[in-house]
Amino acid sequence: MSIGLRMLGAGVGVAATLVALPVAHADDLPASALTLTVAQGESLETASSQRSVVLVCAPTVLGTHPAAASACDELTTAGGDFEKLHGRPMRMCPMIYDPVTVAADGVWQGNPVSYRHTYPSMCAAGNRSTSVFEF
């Protein structure tokens, strides 16, 4: 089985879980589930390569993000506002323009999310977020 088919199968399984979770726990925390993407380029449409993960922070932490708990903690601290994420302080980045676009789509505490931002490099993106877009 190819990597692509395994990833597709994992994505379908996570998507089925996401559909079931909010209904089963409607009285608990509002759903927080996102698809996060990092793309090499000035936009998602013109990117030379992309990688994506699923991050679920509520009602439980799960998904394909390699550091889901840390990413959820970081987003919770920022109140789900990607503009308020804090990355690594005082890190110097080389002045090499190699744009990277980060994106988030889904729901945060029941509210729709669609976020896009292009940074001059992955280093600069890391200055904004420690875990959310590290995959």
Side-chain angles (χ1 to χ4, degrees):
M1 180 181 262
S2 74
I3 295 254
L5 288 176
R6 280 186 281 197
M7 292 291 287
L8 177 62
V12 169
V14 170
T17 302
L18 294 178
V19 170
L21 285 176
V23 174
H25 298 286
D27 295 332
D28 295 339
L29 297 172
S32 292
L34 303 163
T35 299
L36 304 173
T37 303
V38 175
Q40 194 65 46
E42 293 184 357
S43 72
L44 294 181
E45 295 76 22
T46 62
S48 60
S49 67
Q50 293 186 21
R51 56 191 188 279
S52 296
V53 296
V54 173
L55 177 66
V56 179
C57 296
T60 187
V61 175
L62 58 95
T64 59
H65 194 293
S70 296
C72 288
D73 288 346
E74 189 175 350
L75 275 168
T76 299
T77 299
D81 185 347
F82 287 87
E83 293 297 327
K84 293 182 180 176
L85 291 174
H86 299 289
R88 297 171 190 90
M90 301 300 290
R91 185 170 82 158
M92 301 300 287
C93 295
M95 298 295 288
I96 299 171
Y97 186 69
D98 189 16
V100 63
T101 300
V102 298
D105 294 290
V107 293
W108 183 262
Q109 295 183 346
N111 298 310
V113 171
S114 183
Y115 174 79
R116 306 279 185 281
H117 192 91
T118 301
Y119 295 94
S121 67
M122 193 62 202
C123 178
N127 284 341
R128 173 60 78 170
S129 167
T130 307
S131 329
V132 176
F133 292 105
E134 290 288 324
F135 51 85

